[in-house]
Amino acid sequence: MFRNSRAGIFLPVIATFLLWVKTYIVYLTCFHFKPANIIQGIILLINPIGFLMLLFGACLFFKTVKSQFRFIILSSLFLSVILYANIVFYRFFNDFITIPILFQTSNFGELGDSVFAEIKWWDIIFFADTLMLLLFSKKSLLFESISPLRTIIHRRLYFSIACIVLFLNLIFSELVRPQLLTRTFDRKLLVKNLGTYNYQLYDLILQSKSSAQKAFADGTKLIDTQNYIRANYAPPNKEFFGLAKGRNLILVSLESTQDFVIHSKMNGKEITPFLNQFMKESYYFSNLYHQTGQGKTSDAEFLVENSLYPLNRGAVFFTHSSNTYHSLAKSLQDHGYYTAAMHANNKSFWNRNIMYKAIGYQKFFSSTSYTITTDNSVGWGLKDIPFFEQSIDIIKKLSKPFYVKMITLTNHHPFRLNVEDRLIEEYDSNDSVVNRYFTTVRYEDEAIKKFIQKLKDEKLYDKSIIVLYGDHHGISENHQAAMSQYFEKEITPYDTFNLQKIPLIIHIPGITDHGRGITFSKVVGQIDIRPTLLHLMGINTRNDVQFGHDLLSPSYKQHVIFRDGRFVTDQYLWTANRCYLRKTGTEVDVRRCKPFIGEESRVFMYSDKIIYGDLLRFYKARK
Ligand code: GP9
Ligand code: MN
């Protein structure tokens, strides 16, 4: 039936066109993608084209129409199966397939039925284009033989167009969502921007990379790390150990909350009036630095839960979500706690729905557990006040003692707030982002005030330990001018470094209140939160694989390292290859910082090895 001639670019063009149209219809009707603006609309429209053209274009190197058709039909079938699998998965999970999910075979039993129920007979329509290609192949006599020269010209033209479309797609995506690939945000964002096929390829690359590193790891690799950790162990302070034993732990991640807003005023008004009072009744760490990388909120969660460093690129929540971890949640669960995470955002953001299983939360209350309307949302979603209000109703029903980790959202870039929620006026610089930041922080402060009151009303307050921490900076270095205006001084690298301070407030009713609060000014990091809390809760961490140290320990060494190698000690601060006196900001000879340089690479080497090799799966507690 096939003539021994090439079909030319006509065949891959037709195949691309059919699958492109189908994919776009699926985007709109099955994944319910709604582009928010013209650029997003263009990205959504074009994102399948580059990949499809390149893949189907491979048929141009086949010698006969028969083999070209065979390749095209098999590829089309393969991609249609991937697309359809995602459609079915999406119907049930509202999410996209990742390769680690395919390996989570233990879930298949329970999920099998539910997923099967999502398959409809009329889904055959999703294979219509492949069927058309099949029918078409029977009519392939229509194709004329094309001269080799024309073939080469067509081929070059074809691949140039494919590359241009792919390139435009990436450029537009980078404009709309900077660092899309390195930060690997939400899967929905990845699919919306990269397209479903490029996304699947990207996921495959991530997976093979981490699988290779994991495959070559063995238990002996953990021994030197354990020795290092043991040698640097900071034993708990007897005065504080067990002060919050048996209490519920309520841990709140404060979105983009920097420490500079604490005890500060903007146009004469306090920015955090409630927190300013609350910390007097708490243990407050005034020199605590965030240590997050590109994974931002999720990196902060990772640091707090595991006391391991996040990775220097990408979000460990995405890249190593199938690892074994010995988290705060798991330790508490071993001591009889019910553990849950609460965050009114899409569950797959930062891959939380997958990573939270590895961390060991027994339940994740995500956006679907909350009533979210246009009236109670702003910016990224549910406003903090209704978030806490609705969360209380969930929390009071949890079995006790419990550990809940809550993540606020309103104080997120670009810091939008409805007029009625503005408790202070905006700042008056030329930078609207900085101007709004103060108002959203003020709103967040109000939300916490109301939350604490609710805990009291529900009689949960006295039996709990309440911990608040800022996740990372909110105002980046791109806003230096407005920040100089606010601080009435030029912002130097030393100041930028210190703007990475975030608040940490540990409130233990009956212990830290009634004038017994303490402000600690030692230099500490987010990595230290896990051991500190476990010791306060009377749980020993002597055998744990963790890089942080109990902040309340008398042998705590003040040396905080940032993921990019900057560091700060009690005396010195190292940034932009310059050494400063920490307290005054006076620049000093780099030799003063030299003795500390290098420690960070050793620590990162140990910490990264654990993550890349998934070494905690070999962990055995040493007596
Ligand atoms: C989204 C929230 C914000 O769920 O955690 O993430 P961020 O952009 O701050 O990392
Ligand atoms: Mn954040």
Side-chain angles (χ1 to χ4, degrees):
M1 175 206 302
F2 293 103
R3 280 173 54 187
N4 198 15
S5 62
R6 289 193 176 95
I9 58 166
F10 180 69
L11 190 51
V13 166
I14 279 289
T16 300
F17 178 76
L18 290 174
L19 202 45
W20 168 43
V21 171
K22 177 172 82 178
T23 310
Y24 189 66
I25 294 173
V26 166
Y27 283 173
L28 300 183
T29 57
C30 302
F31 301 154
H32 310 290
F33 287 163
K34 288 189 191 76
N37 53 46
I38 293 212
I39 304 234
Q40 277 183 15
I42 296 174
I43 294 173
L44 205 59
L45 188 68
I46 66 168
N47 72 32
I49 301 175
F51 178 91
L52 294 176
M53 281 185 82
L54 288 177
L55 180 79
F56 289 133
C59 82
L60 297 174
F61 298 95
F62 287 68
K63 290 251 168 351
T64 62
V65 176
K66 184 177 177 174
S67 50
Q68 288 181 334
F69 259 113
R70 199 172 287 155
F71 174 80
I72 288 276
I73 289 167
L74 285 177
S75 309
S76 161
L77 184 64
F78 177 67
L79 293 181
S80 299
V81 169
I82 290 182
L83 186 65
Y84 180 62
N86 272 295
I87 293 170
V88 174
F89 191 78
Y90 195 89
R91 282 177 187 159
F92 190 69
F93 292 105
N94 203 19
D95 194 1
F96 299 96
I97 296 175
T98 63
I99 293 163
I101 282 179
L102 300 177
F103 290 101
Q104 286 167 12
T105 44
S106 55
N107 290 351
F108 287 0
E110 291 159 297
L111 296 177
D113 275 358
S114 330
V115 173
F116 198 69
E118 298 298 334
I119 297 176
K120 318 274 182 241
W121 71 265
W122 45 261
D123 285 350
I124 191 78
I125 192 116
F126 291 114
F127 294 87
D129 56 325
T130 313
L131 289 173
M132 278 163 79
L133 286 170
L134 198 64
L135 292 176
F136 203 45
S137 71
K138 311 286 174 200
K139 307 272 177 215
S140 64
L141 283 173
L142 293 174
F143 293 119
E144 294 297 328
S145 195
I146 302 169
S147 74
L149 182 66
R150 268 181 63 201
T151 308
I152 290 172
I153 295 172
H154 285 180
R155 216 193 271 164
R156 283 192 187 154
L157 188 72
Y158 177 90
F159 282 110
S160 307
I161 294 175
C163 291
I164 290 171
V165 177
L166 198 64
F167 186 67
L168 281 178
N169 180 181
L170 292 176
I171 293 278
F172 282 146
S173 306
E174 187 62 24
L175 283 177
V176 171
R177 186 60 66 168
Q179 301 178 316
L180 179 73
L181 286 185
T182 46
R183 281 198 56 194
T184 51
F185 289 87
D186 185 6
R187 262 190 295 285
K188 267 191 196 161
L189 286 178
L190 279 173
V191 177
K192 266 186 188 174
N193 286 282
L194 294 183
T196 183
Y197 310 111
N198 285 324
Y199 156 72
Q200 233 40 263
L201 192 67
Y202 175 67
D203 188 52
L204 185 73
I205 295 167
L206 281 185
Q207 182 62 24
S208 26
K209 221 173 105 186
S210 68
S211 307
Q213 277 153 325
K214 198 163 156 172
F216 292 110
D218 63 56
T220 57
K221 299 228 164 53
L222 193 58
I223 294 170
D224 52 343
T225 310
Q226 276 181 297
N227 288 338
Y228 171 84
I229 288 171
R230 212 156 232 257
N232 291 287
Y233 176 65
N237 187 331
K238 289 199 183 71
E239 239 181 86
F240 296 93
F241 188 82
L243 280 183
K245 195 174 168 120
R247 292 182 183 229
N248 305 310
L249 168 60
I250 301 171
L251 179 70
V252 184
S253 161
L254 302 174
E255 180 55 51
S256 305
T257 306
Q258 294 175 227
D259 193 71
F260 82 87
V261 294
I262 307 289
H263 293 308
S264 299
K265 291 190 172 170
M266 191 273 294
N267 290 342
K269 303 231 172 69
E270 280 185 294
I271 307 160
T272 55
F274 175 72
L275 289 182
N276 295 347
Q277 290 308 314
F278 193 60
M279 65 188 38
K280 284 190 197 145
E281 309 272 287
S282 311
Y283 299 147
Y284 163 56
F285 292 85
S286 60
N287 278 311
L288 183 123
Y289 294 84
H290 82 82
Q291 294 164 295
T292 64
Q294 292 175 322
K296 296 192 72 196
T297 311
S298 69
D299 277 359
E301 293 179 65
F302 186 80
L303 278 149
V304 172
E305 277 294 341
N306 303 309
S307 195
L308 296 172
Y309 288 93
L311 299 177
N312 64 348
R313 58 181 289 281
V316 60
F317 262 43
F318 263 94
T319 55
H320 294 84
S321 58
S322 58
N323 276 14
T324 299
Y325 294 105
H326 292 165
S327 60
L328 178 65
K330 280 190 188 162
S331 293
L332 289 170
Q333 209 180 315
D334 289 347
H335 286 81
Y337 276 73
Y338 181 79
T339 60
M342 315 182 91
H343 181 41
N345 193 10
N346 181 352
K347 66 182 188 300
S348 70
F349 200 95
W350 285 130
N351 202 27
R352 285 187 175 106
N353 53 343
I354 310 293
M355 185 60 162
Y356 277 4
K357 292 205 172 81
I359 288 179
Y361 298 117
Q362 284 159 285
K363 177 93 185 150
F364 175 23
F365 298 96
S366 66
S367 54
T368 46
S369 303
Y370 291 84
T371 309
I372 305 175
T373 61
T374 37
D375 286 344
N376 68 11
S377 324
V378 71
W380 277 55
L382 186 62
K383 296 188 229 178
D384 290 346
I385 291 179
F387 165 66
F388 281 121
E389 268 168 10
Q390 294 185 32
S391 296
I392 279 280
D393 291 334
I394 300 173
I395 294 175
K396 65 185 185 199
K397 292 186 198 123
L398 298 180
S399 92
K400 305 192 179 58
F402 58 74
Y403 158 37
V404 283
K405 198 264 294 286
M406 314 175 81
I407 304 172
T408 65
L409 202 53
T410 307
N411 187 41
H412 194 289
H413 183 275
F415 314 112
R416 302 224 180 270
L417 205 57
N418 304 108
V419 182
E420 68 272 18
D421 292 321
R422 286 182 208 156
L423 302 167
I424 49 174
E425 70 272 29
E426 290 184 358
Y427 186 53
D428 47 13
S429 73
N430 288 332
D431 187 332
S432 58
V433 167
V434 174
N435 296 351
R436 289 193 296 266
Y437 180 70
F438 294 96
T439 56
T440 46
V441 174
R442 176 66 187 85
Y443 173 84
E444 181 187 68
D445 181 82
E446 194 68 15
I448 296 159
K449 177 178 153 190
K450 288 189 163 25
F451 177 55
I452 300 293
Q453 186 52 49
K454 276 268 174 200
L455 288 174
K456 289 181 181 166
D457 297 347
E458 296 295 340
K459 313 256 176 299
L460 287 163
Y461 175 76
D462 291 330
K463 300 179 195 95
S464 302
I465 160 172
I466 301 143
V467 181
L468 313 171
Y469 74 92
D471 60 353
H472 49 76
H473 69 258
I475 303 295
S476 72
E477 287 171 53
N478 300 335
H479 303 277
Q480 302 277 36
M483 291 301 267
S484 319
Q485 182 182 328
Y486 176 72
F487 288 109
E488 296 176 352
K489 70 189 276 293
E490 190 203 340
I491 305 289
T492 65
Y494 166 84
D495 298 315
T496 303
F497 190 105
N498 279 328
L499 281 168
Q500 308 314 310
K501 283 184 201 169
I502 46 153
L504 171 65
I505 300 166
I506 302 176
H507 184 78
I508 317 176
I511 305 277
T512 58
D513 45 5
H514 308 298
R516 285 170 294 176
I518 307 174
T519 294
F520 295 88
S521 58
K522 50 179 134 179
V523 172
V524 297
Q526 260 169 339
I527 195 130
D528 303 314
I529 297 178
R530 178 191 191 274
T532 310
L533 294 184
L534 282 173
H535 287 172
L536 276 170
M537 301 184 80
I539 298 170
N540 219 304
T541 67
R542 178 155 188 78
N543 288 315
D544 292 7
V545 177
Q546 59 185 0
F547 289 88
H549 304 100
D550 182 346
L551 298 172
L552 301 162
S553 166
S555 47
Y556 182 86
K557 269 204 299 202
Q558 303 183 57
H559 184 180
V560 175
I561 53 182
F562 286 12
R563 199 46 254 212
D564 56 11
R566 289 180 283 169
F567 63 81
V568 55
T569 70
D570 179 25
Q571 285 186 295
Y572 302 111
L573 188 155
W574 173 256
T575 185
N577 287 326
R578 287 181 192 169
C579 190
Y580 296 88
L581 291 180
R582 179 181 71 87
K583 289 193 180 131
T584 59
T586 313
E587 193 175 342
V588 292
D589 193 317
V590 290
R591 277 177 296 187
R592 308 271 283 269
C593 282
K594 277 267 157 70
F596 304 96
I597 299 174
E599 177 63 8
E600 72 288 350
S601 354
R602 205 146 78 103
V603 175
F604 290 148
M605 186 265 291
Y606 283 129
S607 180
D608 290 354
K609 214 164 62 172
I610 288 178
I611 298 167
Y612 288 124
D614 186 13
L615 295 186
L616 291 176
R617 71 198 144 123
F618 303 117
Y619 170 83
K620 281 189 199 68
R622 283 201 270 164
K623 295 279 166 285

